[in-house]
Amino acid sequence: MLLHQIINASKKFYFMKITFISKFSYFFLLVFALSFHAYSQTIKVNQERLTTLIKDLSSYGKNKDGGSDRVAYSSHDVAARKFLIEKMKAIGLDVSVDFAGNIIGKRSGSNPNLKPIAFGSHIDEVPNGGDYDGPVGSMSAIEIMQTLAESQTSTKHPLELIIFTNEEGGVIGSRAMAGQLSVEALSTKSSSGLTQAEGILAVGGDPDRILEVKKAKGAYAAFLELHIEQGGNLEREQKQIGVVEGIVAIEWWQFTFKGFANHAGTTPMNSRKDPMLPAAKFILAVNETVLSYDGAQVGTVGKIEAFPGAGNVIPGEVTLNLELRDLSSEKIWKIYAELEAKAKAFAAASNTELSIVHQEVASEPALADPIMQKAIERSATELGFSTMYLPSGAGHDSQEMARIAPIGMIFIRSKNGISHAPQEFSSSEDIANGANVLLQTILLLDQELK
Ligand SMILES: [Zn+2]
């Protein structure tokens, strides 16, 4: 209606042949009208309602320190899930709980032959965690479904909102969906005190049928997750939206330098076999080597032990752990090779022996699909937000979903880069911005994916 009026008005001006109104003016008026039309058509989430929903969820498991004890399978988790299931039903979703306890809310599309576009996150927290890691993505997904219902927006693809079971304790729900969860893994204890199997029962799943949760590769047209960054990159660079390139691979090694334990007072400096020396040089080398490469790779020595571990004894053995993370496994191993060579040289120079054990953490990189990344960037840019591409240094349900679907992840700013702590915070505005980017990305993919 408005568009029509503006176009007509601009046409009128044009035909009035007023000399200072050129063809260019007509062109600009038309562009203005079209962009205004596009803007007015963009549906947006309700920021206030989303903020309230996150606050309501945070009341489940709030402890006296202001942190959240809503660990997976706890009574707080069970109660919160019940609250959300009712909420999802109230906005017209077809809600079910699969055998792994994942909550799934379905909304049909106009073309039932198309695979669903899925999106969601988790609501469980680490012990004494915050209110945003998980809830931001999950509550935004609910708000998006409500916005779509209210605006009577239909999509061609069916939509699926997923709230995954026990993300913090080993991405249990998404692993089951990706077919990566073994029956044996269900006997491990979770933070709630229950085993995974007992916990899954407590949230309405069925551990005996866990293998049936597995989805075939290609079961979803896409999986999208909105999440807090859990780092300080967006804040530092003053960008609003992070387009995640992927979730990094993690590799661990244990380095042991072996020398000879001896009296610290009576053994002359030139006749020692002190393994602390190569260990110290190695720690510095990790930092220097990792920094010498372009990119966002990180390397850490987070644990060191000296044996026997006394102030008056030259250690006989020093062990330390090396962790490397990057989106490229190839780069990780290249850096590792350099560090291995340096460690060998340090050991030789100090007359000590070196042994290295590669520890299985079985974490491959999970790359975000290029089409998803482009769709997220385009949606964010069209909404007027600044963006930056970045890897995720933390694990997410998306890394498991990447095994069966093209994934995309959207990050929003975490204040001071803090997460997994009561101080975790993202502003209502940033959360709503992220939710709007997710909403537009879903609508864009609905048009573009075949
Ligand atoms: Zn999370």
Side-chain angles (χ1 to χ4, degrees):
M1 188 67 188
L2 192 59
L3 170 74
H4 191 67
Q5 285 168 348
I6 296 174
I7 293 176
N8 275 346
S10 55
K11 270 185 193 160
K12 236 182 243 168
F13 271 118
Y14 183 57
F15 289 115
M16 276 164 76
K17 291 185 179 159
I18 298 170
T19 49
F20 59 85
I21 303 262
S22 66
K23 280 183 187 180
F24 283 112
S25 311
Y26 171 69
F27 173 74
F28 284 121
L29 268 167
L30 188 65
V31 167
F32 169 74
L34 285 170
S35 54
F36 187 86
H37 182 66
Y39 178 80
S40 61
Q41 263 204 336
T42 307
I43 52 167
K44 299 268 177 71
V45 302
N46 181 326
Q47 181 178 324
E48 210 178 297
R49 190 167 60 196
L50 176 54
T51 306
T52 305
L53 186 56
I54 291 172
K55 195 158 181 292
D56 288 348
L57 175 63
S58 75
S59 69
Y60 292 89
K62 183 66 71 187
N63 64 30
K64 59 177 174 22
D65 301 324
S68 176
D69 282 332
R70 198 174 54 247
V71 297
Y73 316 134
S74 65
S75 59
H76 305 306
D77 186 31
V78 172
R81 290 166 54 97
K82 213 169 147 198
F83 159 68
L84 293 178
I85 287 172
E86 289 315 311
K87 190 109 209 154
M88 286 162 68
K89 282 181 179 164
I91 57 176
L93 298 178
D94 173 12
V95 185
S96 58
V97 174
D98 71 13
F99 295 133
N102 295 313
I103 302 171
I104 299 170
K106 294 182 182 174
R107 185 177 195 260
S108 43
S110 61
N111 184 349
N113 296 323
L114 293 174
K115 300 276 191 264
I117 295 175
F119 50 99
S121 194
H122 62 99
I123 61 155
D124 64 296
E125 303 288 354
V126 294
N128 200 29
D131 295 336
Y132 300 91
D133 174 352
V136 162
S138 306
M139 297 310 96
S140 294
I142 292 178
E143 172 56 34
I144 284 168
M145 286 293 204
Q146 190 159 5
T147 303
L148 290 171
E150 278 175 357
S151 60
Q152 297 179 339
T153 305
S154 63
T155 54
K156 290 188 284 185
H157 293 74
L159 301 182
E160 256 183 52
L161 188 171
I162 311 175
I163 297 177
F164 293 103
T165 305
N166 194 6
E167 191 271 349
E168 299 291 2
V171 283
I172 297 298
S174 50
R175 252 165 79 196
M177 220 177 246
Q180 299 293 310
L181 189 65
S182 65
V183 175
E184 296 77 60
L186 298 184
S187 59
T188 60
K189 270 247 186 312
S190 70
S191 302
S192 67
L194 301 176
T195 63
Q196 302 294 345
E198 290 164 345
I200 286 169
L201 261 180
V203 296
D206 184 349
D208 292 335
R209 303 183 69 177
I210 196 81
L211 299 179
E212 293 173 46
V213 176
K214 182 182 179 200
K215 296 258 183 189
K217 198 172 172 148
Y220 290 114
F223 176 76
L224 299 165
E225 184 173 9
L226 168 66
H227 205 279
I228 61 169
E229 186 204 337
Q230 299 181 272
N233 291 302
L234 289 171
E235 198 177 47
R236 207 165 26 247
E237 303 293 329
Q238 299 186 343
K239 302 287 185 192
Q240 290 162 299
I241 297 293
V243 182
V244 179
E245 299 164 301
I247 297 145
V248 299
I250 306 173
E251 298 289 352
W252 284 356
W253 296 265
Q254 188 175 69
F255 281 62
T256 303
F257 294 96
K258 225 180 185 141
F260 192 82
N262 212 338
H263 198 291
T266 59
T267 317
M269 295 303 280
N270 58 7
S271 56
R272 296 181 176 206
K273 289 183 175 181
D274 183 353
M276 190 59 88
L277 298 178
K281 287 180 190 165
F282 180 73
I283 292 168
L284 293 175
V286 169
N287 192 263
E288 287 161 7
T289 310
V290 171
L291 279 170
S292 72
Y293 284 77
D294 285 332
Q297 68 283 345
V298 288
T300 308
V301 176
K303 190 180 170 192
I304 175 165
E305 282 179 291
F307 302 97
N312 57 355
V313 181
I314 302 161
E317 191 176 300
V318 173
T319 66
L320 48 82
N321 289 72
L322 167 66
E323 184 197 84
L324 294 176
R325 297 188 186 210
D326 192 62
L327 278 181
S328 156
S329 287
E330 202 186 329
K331 194 202 257 176
I332 287 179
W333 284 98
K334 200 173 161 195
I335 294 173
Y336 169 75
E338 203 174 310
L339 286 171
E340 186 187 340
K342 285 182 182 171
K344 279 180 178 163
F346 298 146
S350 58
N351 244 328
T352 57
E353 283 165 31
L354 170 67
S355 60
I356 305 169
V357 180
H358 179 229
Q359 293 164 305
E360 287 297 323
V361 280
S363 168
E364 298 151 27
L367 300 181
D369 187 272
I371 293 170
M372 306 291 135
Q373 294 185 50
K374 280 274 167 309
I376 291 166
E377 190 194 22
R378 211 178 114 191
S379 300
T381 306
E382 279 173 11
L383 287 166
F385 303 136
S386 52
T387 60
M388 80 181 267
Y389 280 78
L390 77 180
S392 170
H396 297 289
D397 289 310
S398 289
Q399 88 201 22
E400 295 304 317
M401 294 303 281
R403 299 175 193 274
I404 54 167
I407 61 144
M409 273 195 93
I410 302 160
F411 273 173
I412 57 159
R413 291 180 281 219
S414 307
K415 190 158 187 243
N416 299 326
I418 298 171
S419 74
H420 285 187
Q423 294 84 355
E424 187 179 277
F425 179 78
S426 293
S427 73
S428 294
E429 198 187 341
D430 277 342
I431 294 169
N433 290 349
N436 279 319
V437 172
L438 175 56
L439 171 58
Q440 290 313 314
T441 305
I442 292 165
L443 296 176
L444 186 62
L445 290 173
D446 182 51
Q447 292 302 314
E448 294 192 347
L449 292 179
K450 292 285 168 299

